[in-house]
């Protein structure tokens, strides 16, 4: 029973009618009135006073109810809804904690077994050492020592492994051995597991994730709870291309049923290469599906090598044959529904076949955990949520349809990056500089998606696709920070004329080739579309603005839209790959629209050490504890970020007409080289070790200049508004207190076109930017039309009176997202000579609309 703020409460009589007690009297609602109110509640859960009066006028059945009574009804209805959601959430958390507790108990048992095993081995080796010492003093005959070991081998031990060949009995023998070895890794002590850096088990975590230590190849293990039955889990995990983005294909070559209701499958699997610097991998596998005595479902796999005398698969050109050691999935039904799943991925990716600088990518258990093991768990959790909470999101599309779009973007980018000949790709001759590789594809299967008619009736003229790609090494810039900058500041590297050409080429032609020009960009607005549960990946639509002057000779809609997939922007995720992939789409956004993706992929190279990656943000936080000399900042920078290495791969695709191949290839090379130069420039600016070494960059946060600016801001606020901005003592804490102030504080220059020069953490969050990118944002850009008019009319008041107060309004972030604020204050910041240094704005109680 919910009690309203006005002392009213609601209940139901025995007939199910709703009653509300107001001033000691119960008000009875008819079922029809309750139904009408429920319908109105789903349309607007919190109606205003005017809206409630409008509801009474529009719905005659409610005419005999006072507005105050309807207000109380809505209050109680919201309270019940909140209680119901909270109860459901607590039940889900309780189920997950119960399952997590079970997993932790099992992990504790495994560790106890491992300790016992180590104690036993220690005792055994000690005895062996003592026996060897005794033998050395009693018998110096080498022959007696060598032959003594042979007398212990019995005929049964010499023939303990049955024949392993292509026969059903031989394959079953291999399968049973694979099952035993997999279970010893999943729940036993066959591999020494250590906790994944940065992963902490808990009710909100993905599960318990561990990586191998000191074993052959790279391995990762995860245990988690998913709200799907074991059969469904196995079905999803077997369909590896649906959730493992690096998987190109899985071909089932043969299927053999076993006597225990199990299945043996022979598989040929191909994986994409993550960069242009190394070949792709393939696997020849045996997969064994069976049910254990306790009802658990097991799917395990291993490579079929020649040493096992099993069936063989010829080596494919342009692929390196990798090895999968016993791996798989142990899926157990969970009490109360769902499944507890153990995942083990153990591979030898043949790192000898790649350049030495790239070997950390193929020797990192952390990278395998992120891209494979945790990807499987995340996908299962995503499917489970969609099943339990079916909904239509993202421009009227269901989650499965949006997942399919994400897959098409990722797969198209990987295909272009790898350029396999069996998909129709062929390489063009170099122009004398080998930094950019160009491939062309004119196969019918590739062009089927491009040769479409659009709503305007014009068919596409393009009949081929060209891809220009390159990879390069980066130093001292975390992938997440660089990718976030590329996403938020497209104008730093993109050319609007190229975007316009790419959009027109897949829509309706003909169109002329553009000439790439540096800094040639209009503007962008990011429209969120969908995101995964943990927000590690999100799909969005990019609207490119101010494109009218690029369409003089192009038959295309007035607006240009890009479908964009972004992942890996979390700096705390260890060994995570960061990707930004996008493709021009038609304004109709039809499901069968052509998608020709381009983009960036940044992979950390330091993850091979399996140690936490640097965690750094482009703000003042890392320097707030710095003393007067700043020694601590320089030391942290060198130890945390000085050794950060990564490889970035860039690939851009262009649809074109075959007779323009030479011109398009020249344009693509020039454009990609320009992007490479832009990325290098941005990476240099974002590199923490470069701050202070370039005259064009501002002093690092936490420097004496930053402390001085913070003091000027507070002194000027006190001077003009007669109040204290901060509650702190001493100059040393002013900067820190200002940085953590809950309201957004931003400073802009006094130029003819004011640009922002400083912001605290709340200000950066509000503008959705970083300190480095802040100086590219002008003051007028964050206000709408009415805000600009108010600012222009009131700006002279700031210069004359020294301050100005703005009532509640709307402003915009650098991403184009609307922001509401309760009120804003602007004041003139004076320096030591009492000259105007800048204008400071404070937005109070702001929030995204």
């Amino acid at each position: 029973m919910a009690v309203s703020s006005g002392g009213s409460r609601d209940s139901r009589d025995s007939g199910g009618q709703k009653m509300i007690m107001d001033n000691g009297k119960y008000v009875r609602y008819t079922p029809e009135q309750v139904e009408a109110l429920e319908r109105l509640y789903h349309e607007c859960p919190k109606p205003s006073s005017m809206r409630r009066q409008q509801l009474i006028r529009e719905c005659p059945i409610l005419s005999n109810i006072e507005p105050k009574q309807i207000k109380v009804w809505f209050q109680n209805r919201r309270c019940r809804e909140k209680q119901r959601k909270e109860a459901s959430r607590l039940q889900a958390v309780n189920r997950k904690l119960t399952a997590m507790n079970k997993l932790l108990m099992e992990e504790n048992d495994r560790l106890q077994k491992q300790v016992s095993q180590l104690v036993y081995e220690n005792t055994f080796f000690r005895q062996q050492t003592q026996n060897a010492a005794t033998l050395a003093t009693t018998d110096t005959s080498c022959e007696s020592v060598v032959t003594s070991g042979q007398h212990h081998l019995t005929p049964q031990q010499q023939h303990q492994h049955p024949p392993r060949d292509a026969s059903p009995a031989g394959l079953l023998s291999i399968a049973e051995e694979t099952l035993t070895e997999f279970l010893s890794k999943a729940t036993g002590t066959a591999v020494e597991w250590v906790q994944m850096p940065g992963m902490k088990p808990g009710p909100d975590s993905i599960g318990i994730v561990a990586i191998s230590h000191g074993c052959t190849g790279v391995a990762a293990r995860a245990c988690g709870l998913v709200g799907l039955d074991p059969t469904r889990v196995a079905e999803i995990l077997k369909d590896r291309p649906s959730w493992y983005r690096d998987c190109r294909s899985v071909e089932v070559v043969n299927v053999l049923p076993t006597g225990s209701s199990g299945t043996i499958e022979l598989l040929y699997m191909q994986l994409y290469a993550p960069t242009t610097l190394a070949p792709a991998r393939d696997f020849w596998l045996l997969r064994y599906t069976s049910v254990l005595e306790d009802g658990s479902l097991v799917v395990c796999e291993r490579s079929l090598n020649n040493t096992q005398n099993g069936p063989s698969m010829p080596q494919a050109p342009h692929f390196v044959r990798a090895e999968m050691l016993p791996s798989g999935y142990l899926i157990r039904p969970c009490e109360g529904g769902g499944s507890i799943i153990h995942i083990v991925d153990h591979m030898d990716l043949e790192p000898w076949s790649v350049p030495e600088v790239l070997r950390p990518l193929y020797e990192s258990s952390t990278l395998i955990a992120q891209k494979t093991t945790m990807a499987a768990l995340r996908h299962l959790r995503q499917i489970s949520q969609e099943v339990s909470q079916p909904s239509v999101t993202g421009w009227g599309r269901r989650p499965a349809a949006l997942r399919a779009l994400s897959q098409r973007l990722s797969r198209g980018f990987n295909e272009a990056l790898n350029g396999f000949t069996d998909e129709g790709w062929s390489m063009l001759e170099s122009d004398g500089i080998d930094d950019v590789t160009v491939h062309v594809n004119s196969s019918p299967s590739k062009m089927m998606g491009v040769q479409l008619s659009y709503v305007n009736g014009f068919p596409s003229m393009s009949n081929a696709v060209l891809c220009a790609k390159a990879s390069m090494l980066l130093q001292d810039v975390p992938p997440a920070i660089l990718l976030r900058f590329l996403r938020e500041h497209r104008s730093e590297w993109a050319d609007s004329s190229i975007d316009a050409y790419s959009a027109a080429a897949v829509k309706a032609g003909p169109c002329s080739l553009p000439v790439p020009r540096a800094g040639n960009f209009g503007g962008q607005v990011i429209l969120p579309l969908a995101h995964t549960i943990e927000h590690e990946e999100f799909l969005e639509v990019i609207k490119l603005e101010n494109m009218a002057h690029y369409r003089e000779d192009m038959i295309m809609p007035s607006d240009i839209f890009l479908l964009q997939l972004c992942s890996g922007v979390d700096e705390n995720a260890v060994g995570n790959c960061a990707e930004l992939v996008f493709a021009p789409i038609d304004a109709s956004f039809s499901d069968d629209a052509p998608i020709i993706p381009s983009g960036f992929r940044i992979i950390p190279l330091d993850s091979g050490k399996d140690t936490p990656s640097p965690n750094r943000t482009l703000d003042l936080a890392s320097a707030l504890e710095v003393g007067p000399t700043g020694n601590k900042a320089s030391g942290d920078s060198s130890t945390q970020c000085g050794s950060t290495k990564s490889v970035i791969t860039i690939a851009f695709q262009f649809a074109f007409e075959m007779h323009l191949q030479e011109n398009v290839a020249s344009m693509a090379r020039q454009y990609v080289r320009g992007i490479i130069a832009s990325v290098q420039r941005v990476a240099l600016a974002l590199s923490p070790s470069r701050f202070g070494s370039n005259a064009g960059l501002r002093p690092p946060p936490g420097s004496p200049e930053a402390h001085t600016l913070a003091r000027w801001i507070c002194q000027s606020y006190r001077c003009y508004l007669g109040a204290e901005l901060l509650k702190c003592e001493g100059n040393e804490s002013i900067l820190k207190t200002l940085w953590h102030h809950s309201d957004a504080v931003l400073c802009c220059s006094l130029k003819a076109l004011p640009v922002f020069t400083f912001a605290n953490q709340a200000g950066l969050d509000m503008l959705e930017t970083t300190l480095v990118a802040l100086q590219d944002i002008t003051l007028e850009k964050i206000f709408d039309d009415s805000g600009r008019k108010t600012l222009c009319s009131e700006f002279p008041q700031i210069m004359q009176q020294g301050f100005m107060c703005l009532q509640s309004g709307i402003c915009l972030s650098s991403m184009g997202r609307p922001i509401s604020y309760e009120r804003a204050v602007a004041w003139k910041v004076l320096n030591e000579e009492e000259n105007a240094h800048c204008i400071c704005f404070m937005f109070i109680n702001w929030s995204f609309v």
Side-chain angles (χ1 to χ4, degrees):
M1 183 173 293
V3 180
S4 72
S5 60
S8 301
R9 62 181 184 178
D10 69 335
S11 61
R12 294 180 184 272
D13 62 9
S14 58
Q17 290 183 320
K18 188 78 171 288
M19 297 183 293
I20 289 185
M21 189 176 72
D22 190 9
N23 295 327
K25 297 180 180 179
Y26 279 101
V27 179
R28 187 185 299 272
Y29 288 84
T30 65
E32 292 78 11
Q33 288 175 330
V34 173
E35 182 181 351
L37 287 170
E38 287 286 350
R39 184 171 62 254
L40 296 173
Y41 174 81
H42 289 294
E43 294 176 0
C44 181
K46 194 174 182 180
S48 63
S49 176
M50 293 181 60
R51 177 60 176 151
R52 289 195 300 271
Q53 294 176 359
Q54 182 184 356
L55 294 176
I56 295 176
R57 291 194 301 268
E58 293 176 352
C59 195
I61 199 171
L62 303 176
S63 59
N64 63 332
I65 304 175
E66 295 181 6
K68 181 181 178 182
Q69 295 171 351
I70 290 184
K71 177 182 178 181
V72 171
W73 187 93
F74 273 95
Q75 286 176 340
N76 291 327
R77 182 64 178 84
R78 289 195 299 271
C79 186
R80 290 198 307 275
E81 181 73 15
K82 184 177 181 181
Q83 289 175 338
R84 185 189 65 79
K85 290 182 178 179
E86 181 65 12
S88 176
R89 187 189 69 83
L90 290 175
Q91 289 175 356
V93 170
N94 183 59
R95 286 196 303 270
K96 188 163 186 178
L97 285 173
T98 302
M100 193 67 68
N101 182 59
K102 186 176 181 180
L103 289 175
L104 289 172
M105 291 174 63
E106 292 176 353
E107 181 70 4
N108 186 53
D109 291 341
R110 187 191 70 81
L111 291 174
Q112 288 180 350
K113 291 178 183 177
Q114 189 171 3
V115 169
S116 301
Q117 179 72 14
L118 291 173
V119 171
Y120 170 78
E121 291 177 357
N122 185 49
T123 304
F124 174 76
F125 287 133
R126 187 181 292 117
Q127 291 176 351
Q128 288 289 95
T129 303
Q130 293 174 353
N131 293 340
T134 303
L135 288 174
T137 57
T138 58
D139 187 359
T140 57
S141 171
C142 293
E143 183 179 355
S144 64
V145 175
V146 172
T147 56
S148 62
Q150 298 178 356
H151 296 157
H152 298 285
L153 294 177
T154 64
Q156 289 80 6
Q157 290 173 322
Q158 293 176 358
H159 300 284
Q160 59 183 344
H161 295 294
R164 294 188 287 185
D165 50 29
S167 67
L171 292 176
L172 182 60
S173 171
I174 299 173
E176 293 291 349
E177 182 180 311
T178 303
L179 173 62
T180 302
E181 293 187 35
F182 160 67
L183 292 176
S184 68
K185 296 175 183 179
T187 60
T189 59
V191 171
E192 182 181 351
W193 300 108
V194 296
Q195 182 173 305
M196 172 89 166
M199 295 294 298
K200 295 180 179 179
D204 297 324
S205 69
I206 190 174
I208 303 172
V209 184
I211 56 177
S212 62
H213 177 70
C215 73
T216 302
V218 290
R221 189 190 68 168
C223 312
L225 171 69
V226 294
L228 300 169
D229 64 87
T231 305
R232 177 63 174 146
V233 171
E235 177 186 333
I236 293 172
L237 292 176
K238 282 186 174 183
D239 185 16
R240 196 178 258 115
S242 69
W243 57 266
Y244 185 22
R245 294 287 171 81
D246 284 355
C247 184
R248 184 194 183 202
S249 63
V250 175
E251 179 186 356
V252 180
V253 178
N254 197 6
V255 180
L256 299 172
T258 63
S260 56
S261 301
T263 305
I264 295 176
E265 299 168 281
L266 301 184
L267 310 175
Y268 177 63
M269 180 173 71
Q270 292 182 344
L271 302 184
Y272 291 111
T275 72
T276 61
L277 304 175
R281 267 43 183 171
D282 66 351
F283 296 82
W284 174 231
L285 303 172
L286 177 143
R287 182 165 68 192
Y288 182 37
T289 306
S290 61
V291 180
L292 302 182
E293 293 180 356
D294 63 356
S296 300
L297 185 59
V298 179
V299 180
C300 55
E301 299 172 325
R302 79 173 305 157
S303 286
L304 289 172
N305 298 328
N306 294 329
T307 56
Q308 294 171 308
N309 298 320
S312 61
M313 171 65 69
Q315 188 80 25
H318 311 298
F319 282 88
V320 171
R321 180 63 51 87
E323 180 181 7
M324 181 180 291
L325 290 84
S327 307
Y329 319 104
L330 171 61
I331 312 163
R332 296 183 295 180
C334 183
E335 296 179 7
S339 304
I340 295 177
I341 178 171
H342 297 252
I343 302 177
V344 173
D345 290 300
H346 193 176
M347 304 179 188
D348 185 350
L349 297 173
E350 304 295 340
W352 58 266
S353 62
V354 303
E356 186 173 354
V357 69
L358 286 184
R359 287 181 187 173
L361 299 185
Y362 297 82
E363 296 173 339
S364 170
S365 294
T366 303
L367 200 61
I368 286 292
Q370 286 281 5
K371 299 187 71 174
T372 310
T373 317
M374 294 171 64
L377 266 184
R378 287 192 178 111
H379 184 74
L380 289 171
R381 292 184 66 193
Q382 190 72 34
I383 297 292
S384 175
Q385 184 192 53
E386 293 171 8
V387 171
S388 62
Q389 303 174 9
S391 61
V392 177
T393 58
W395 291 17
R397 277 166 169 72
R398 294 193 175 275
L402 295 175
R403 262 203 334 274
L405 284 174
S406 300
Q407 245 177 323
R408 288 181 62 191
L409 276 173
S410 180
R411 188 174 185 84
F413 183 71
N414 276 322
E415 286 179 357
L417 203 62
N418 285 260
F420 294 119
T421 55
D422 59 359
E423 290 177 347
W425 291 99
S426 59
M427 187 168 66
L428 297 184
E429 291 185 6
S430 170
D431 61 349
I433 308 175
D434 294 330
D435 57 340
V436 178
T437 305
V438 178
H439 281 69
V440 172
N441 193 332
S442 58
S443 64
S445 60
K446 181 69 177 176
M447 299 312 302
M448 274 181 59
V450 179
Q451 294 177 340
L452 297 172
S453 295
Y454 283 76
V455 291
N456 56 15
F458 289 95
S460 169
M461 303 293 290
S462 304
N463 52 18
V465 174
L466 180 143
C467 178
K469 51 195 174 182
S471 294
M472 64 178 175
L473 298 176
L474 298 175
Q475 183 89 16
D476 294 351
V477 56
I481 292 179
L482 176 58
L483 189 91
R484 209 160 56 221
F485 189 94
L486 295 174
R487 169 181 174 264
E488 297 173 0
H489 303 279
R490 190 179 179 88
S491 60
E492 291 292 330
W493 55 268
D495 186 333
S496 291
S497 61
I498 301 294
D499 286 329
Y501 168 79
S502 299
V506 297
K507 291 179 174 62
C511 58
S512 62
L513 293 180
V515 178
R517 298 185 293 273
N520 184 18
F521 193 82
Q524 68 169 349
V525 176
I526 297 181
L527 309 173
L529 197 60
H531 60 79
T532 53
I533 297 177
E534 299 179 3
H535 294 260
E536 79 281 354
E537 178 180 285
F538 40 91
L539 189 67
E540 53 199 12
V541 172
I542 309 299
K543 180 183 177 182
L544 301 182
E545 299 176 323
N546 303 325
M547 306 294 287
H549 57 289
Y550 298 115
R551 301 193 309 273
E552 296 175 356
D553 56 350
M554 302 179 187
I555 307 174
M556 58 181 297
S558 57
D559 295 323
I560 292 180
F561 295 93
L562 302 177
L563 183 65
Q564 181 165 280
L565 181 68
C566 185
S567 62
V569 295
D570 182 8
E571 297 171 54
N572 298 316
V574 180
N576 208 10
C577 171
E579 287 189 1
L580 185 69
V581 180
F582 46 86
I585 57 171
D586 189 65
S588 62
F589 199 17
S590 58
D591 291 331
D592 58 351
I595 291 183
I596 303 182
S598 305
F600 306 88
R601 173 179 292 155
I602 315 169
I603 311 176
L605 290 174
D606 295 335
S607 59
K609 302 173 185 177
D610 292 328
T611 56
S613 63
N615 178 16
R616 177 185 166 272
T617 56
L618 294 175
D619 52 35
L620 296 176
S622 60
L624 291 176
E625 302 296 338
V626 179
T629 60
N631 291 334
K632 180 178 177 181
S634 61
D636 288 350
S637 176
S638 62
T639 57
Q640 292 183 357
C641 299
S643 61
T644 303
K645 297 179 182 178
S646 56
V647 56
I648 181 171
T649 298
I650 304 169
F652 277 75
Q653 295 192 83
F654 305 91
F656 69 100
E657 301 172 59
M658 281 298 294
H659 68 278
L660 296 175
Q661 176 174 303
E662 185 176 341
N663 294 334
V664 173
S666 175
M667 179 269 293
R669 285 191 177 100
Q670 182 182 352
Y671 186 48
V672 171
R673 284 169 182 154
I675 292 175
I676 291 173
S678 299
V679 169
Q680 289 174 331
R681 175 178 53 81
V682 170
L684 182 68
L686 298 180
S687 171
S689 63
R690 300 296 191 267
F691 280 121
S693 62
N694 293 273
L697 295 174
R698 298 190 315 277
S703 66
E705 290 86 349
H707 285 282
T708 301
L709 177 61
R711 189 174 70 254
W712 290 350
I713 291 172
C714 296
Q715 289 175 349
S716 300
Y717 186 88
R718 185 189 312 115
C719 173
Y720 289 115
L721 285 95
E724 293 292 338
L725 176 63
L726 307 174
K727 295 180 180 180
C728 59
E729 296 180 0
N731 293 336
E732 290 299 323
S733 60
I734 289 179
L735 179 58
K736 182 177 181 179
T737 309
L738 180 66
W739 176 255
H740 292 293
H741 198 283
S742 58
D743 296 323
V745 178
L746 307 103
C747 292
C748 68
S749 62
L750 293 173
K751 299 178 181 177
L753 185 63
V755 296
F756 288 105
T757 57
F758 169 81
N760 67 348
Q761 179 64 69
L764 295 178
D765 292 341
M766 187 184 83
L767 294 184
E768 296 186 291
T769 187
T770 64
L771 277 178
V772 172
L774 185 68
Q775 58 188 336
D776 297 329
I777 303 174
T778 60
L779 177 62
E780 66 171 14
K781 186 178 180 181
I782 73 167
F783 289 100
D784 56 12
D785 291 337
S786 62
R788 292 192 195 100
K789 292 177 182 178
T790 303
L791 188 66
C792 290
S793 61
E794 300 290 341
F795 201 83
Q797 178 184 343
I798 305 177
M799 303 308 297
Q800 295 173 7
Q801 183 177 320
F803 72 96
M804 173 187 69
C805 295
L806 298 173
Q807 298 303 315
S808 60
I810 299 291
C811 60
L812 304 173
S813 75
S814 63
M815 299 290 98
R817 294 175 65 188
I819 303 161
S820 66
Y821 56 89
E822 187 176 293
R823 61 191 179 93
V825 180
W827 67 96
K828 186 165 53 174
V829 177
L830 304 179
N831 58 18
E832 302 290 358
E833 290 77 25
E834 296 191 355
N835 296 323
H837 177 75
C838 62
I839 300 293
C840 188
F841 287 83
M842 182 167 66
F843 294 88
I844 301 168
N845 292 339
W846 65 272
S847 63
F848 289 110
V849 178

